[in-house]
Every structure is written in structure tokens, then in C-alpha cells.
Amino acid sequence: MSTQPAGHKAIVEAARQEFSERGYGATSIRDIAQRAGVSLSALYYYYKGKQDLLVAILEDGLDAYFGACDAALAAAGDDPAEQLEALVAATVRFRTEHPVKSSIVLTEGRSLEPEHLARYKKNEARGTQQFREVVERGVAQGIFLTPYPDDARRAVIAMCNAIAEWYKTEGPVTLDELVERYVSLALTVVEYRPRAVRRAARGT
């Protein structure tokens, strides 16, 4: 259970909304304080400036995303196809259910100063590595037939991440339908061929 005071939460949420709507560069500390309903001195009590706020928001977004992915993988078992399905489903759900967090994580890493950028890049690479390991395992086991595993992995990640920019909950496609579509697309991209299907094709 969080022990952070209400004022702290209001500041973080105000910064998240301002960065999402205006962009980091166009947002001022005064904008954030006004939106949070706090004085500048109160804001500076918690954060030295908007760079520290950006770091906190990015770390929060990545932690939440990785938590969702780790939980999905833990429930998926050892089959690479099921693991890829789990990662895609977790990513699609996170991007649709947390569009503001997703948007900032995907667009504002470039605004980090050098002392924070290296740590952010390391954390960001963790997500890439999760997909890479699953795709490579599927290729090694002969159930993902793509001759371009790196390109396939990049395509799957890119299409899932883009959802945060266009999906509307009030639109004609439900979240469950969207998940099913993107799982199907991801398995198509990696050229998934279950062992049973390939055995049947060989007549064995």
C-alpha cells in the first residue's frame, strides 16, 4: 500500500497529463503545479524539477508494464507460441488500458538528460529482450519458421506499441477482440507452424 501523501500523487498525475498533452518540452513546472492545485514550493518539496518528474513517471510506467508481462509469462508455460501470445496480450492490454503511461514511455525517453538516459535505455531493452528470447526459442524449436527473427520481433513490438496512439474504448472493436487479432497477427509474422500441423503435412 502506498505511503505517498495525496499532494505527491496529484503532482505526479498532473505531470503525466501535461507531458502527454503538451509534450515535455512545452510543459513548465508552473503548468504542473497549477494542474495539481499545489504551490510551486510544494512541488519543489517533492521534486527538484520536471526532469525528476519525468524520470519518476517513466520508471513507474516501465515497472507497471514489466509487471504485467512477467505475470503473463509466468502463467504461459514453456511453449514459445503460448509465451508470445502472453506477451502480445499483455502489451495490447497495457497499451489500451494505460494509454497515457504508454504514450509517455514510448515518446519522452528522448527528453531524458544523459545521467538518466543510460538507465532508461537499460530498462527499455528489457522489454525487447523478452520478445527476442521467445522468438529465438520458437525458431530454435522449429515452430516459428520466419527466416528473419529480428525483423519479426521488431514488427510485433511496433504494432503492439502503436495501439496506444489510436485505440478508443468506445470504438467498434472490444479489447478482447483486439487481443485476439494481434495475437493472430503476431503468430503470422513469426510464421508459426505447430508441430502437429507440420507432421500432418509430411504424412507422418
Side-chain angles (χ1 to χ4, degrees):
M1 187 173 180
S2 176
T3 58
Q4 296 287 5
H8 173 273
K9 290 184 63 176
I11 291 167
V12 171
E13 186 55 32
R16 199 191 318 274
Q17 294 294 333
E18 288 290 327
F19 293 161
S20 175
E21 294 170 11
R22 298 173 181 239
Y24 177 83
T27 298
S28 70
I29 281 292
R30 188 173 298 278
D31 293 329
I32 297 169
Q34 289 178 345
R35 186 161 192 155
V38 301
S39 65
L40 282 173
S41 59
L43 188 153
Y44 284 124
Y45 176 79
Y46 295 110
Y47 293 98
K48 292 185 294 184
K50 68 176 185 176
Q51 180 70 194
D52 283 359
L53 270 165
L54 178 61
V55 170
I57 289 168
L58 290 175
E59 289 182 349
D60 175 67
L62 286 172
D63 286 347
Y65 172 65
F66 289 137
C69 288
D70 290 345
L73 281 174
D78 297 327
D79 182 72
E82 292 182 3
Q83 291 176 339
L84 182 60
E85 178 176 350
L87 280 176
V88 169
T91 302
V92 170
R93 290 187 183 280
F94 190 85
R95 297 297 179 231
T96 55
E97 293 171 353
H98 305 283
V100 176
K101 283 185 179 181
S102 295
S103 176
I104 294 174
V105 168
L106 294 172
T107 62
E108 291 296 355
R110 63 178 183 270
S111 300
L112 288 170
E113 295 171 359
E115 63 264 33
H116 303 301
L117 185 58
R119 185 174 64 187
Y120 172 75
K121 289 292 186 182
K122 183 178 180 180
N123 287 335
E124 190 179 44
R126 178 182 167 190
T128 299
Q129 186 63 23
Q130 284 182 320
F131 277 91
R132 178 183 288 115
E133 289 176 356
V134 169
V135 172
E136 289 180 350
R137 194 176 305 119
V139 170
Q141 292 182 16
I143 61 173
F144 296 166
L145 302 186
T146 175
Y148 314 111
D150 283 340
D151 293 316
R153 180 255 309 160
R154 279 190 286 267
V156 170
I157 293 174
M159 74 179 187
C160 292
N161 285 346
I163 290 171
E165 301 301 321
W166 64 264
Y167 182 74
K168 304 297 181 185
T169 55
E170 66 273 15
V173 181
T174 69
L175 178 53
D176 287 341
E177 289 171 336
L178 190 70
V179 169
E180 287 299 316
R181 289 183 186 185
Y182 274 67
V183 167
S184 177
L185 286 168
L187 292 174
T188 299
V189 168
V190 297
E191 298 186 35
Y192 171 52
R193 298 292 186 275
R195 292 184 181 87
V197 171
R198 289 185 289 112
R199 285 198 299 270
R202 293 195 301 266
T204 59

